[in-house]
Amino acid sequence: MGQYQIKTKKSYDFFEVSSAFQKSIRRSLEREALYWATEMMHSGKSKYLWKRMLVMVVEDIGIANPSLPQTAWALHNMYQWAVHSKVREKDLYTYQMVLLLVRSPKSRLTDWAQGYANCNHYLHRLDIPEFAIDMHTRQGKSQGKNIDDFFAE
């Protein structure tokens, strides 16, 4: 039995197109990113394309452009509105998002932080620090901690 494959309109392997798109964004290859985005859109994969772009906003751009998530969310909502309203120019929102991703400064720090935090959490167990025990916690209340202790800490 052969493996199940999803082919795009031009007979590319869909997952390879997705990979090429993301790698083009990471390398700021505008022409290529636009090509692969168009291939996904023409292949009926716009919903997936938007899913990938919304992840890439944090995974590949992250703190290098901290306002991009709000812009991406707004463009995504505008795209969805345009699709629902049968606006002919609906793809403009997608192309603007692709251009913003390509031209944005990049940082993988958030993705690396996720990997570090999950690995570190799995391998270690921290003790609750003393400064966290205050009048807001059960232990702090039992120790008679009050507002003066809170502000002193």
Side-chain angles (χ1 to χ4, degrees):
M1 292 264 168
Q3 283 185 323
Y4 175 72
Q5 277 194 319
I6 301 172
K7 292 289 189 179
T8 65
K9 187 149 184 136
K10 288 191 172 186
S11 296
Y12 292 107
D13 178 283
F14 169 74
F15 298 104
E16 291 176 1
V17 170
S18 177
S19 180
F21 174 68
Q22 188 158 359
K23 304 309 186 296
S24 295
I25 295 292
R26 286 181 183 166
R27 289 164 177 77
S28 298
L29 301 173
E30 189 169 281
R31 191 186 77 203
E32 292 84 348
L34 288 166
Y35 179 87
W36 297 120
T38 302
E39 180 65 12
M40 282 194 263
M41 292 162 56
H42 288 185
S43 301
K45 302 297 183 185
S46 293
K47 187 175 179 179
Y48 178 86
L49 176 61
W50 271 102
K51 181 180 99 168
R52 286 298 332 137
M53 289 192 298
L54 290 173
V55 170
M56 290 164 58
V57 164
V58 177
E59 185 177 73
D60 296 310
I61 309 300
I63 64 171
N65 189 347
S67 65
L68 192 56
Q70 293 89 339
T71 303
W73 194 246
L75 284 169
H76 181 246
N77 286 334
M78 293 165 75
Y79 169 77
Q80 289 179 318
W81 164 82
V83 168
H84 178 73
S85 302
K86 296 183 177 21
V87 173
R88 186 172 46 91
E89 301 87 357
K90 68 180 176 10
D91 293 338
L92 287 174
Y93 308 104
T94 304
Y95 286 120
Q96 181 165 331
M97 190 66 237
V98 172
L99 291 171
L100 287 169
L101 288 167
V102 167
R103 293 175 176 220
S104 180
K106 312 292 191 285
S107 172
R108 301 267 302 151
L109 190 57
T110 303
D111 187 45
W112 297 338
Q114 175 183 270
Y116 168 80
N118 282 321
C119 183
N120 192 52
H121 189 265
Y122 176 76
L123 296 173
H124 303 284
R125 178 180 169 82
L126 295 180
D127 294 329
I128 300 294
E130 186 58 38
F131 60 77
I133 309 300
D134 62 17
M135 64 187 202
H136 300 101
T137 66
R138 195 169 300 167
Q139 184 178 344
K141 286 177 187 172
S142 72
Q143 293 175 3
K145 302 269 181 144
N146 58 35
I147 193 76
D148 294 330
D149 300 311
F150 178 75
F151 285 112
E153 186 57 48

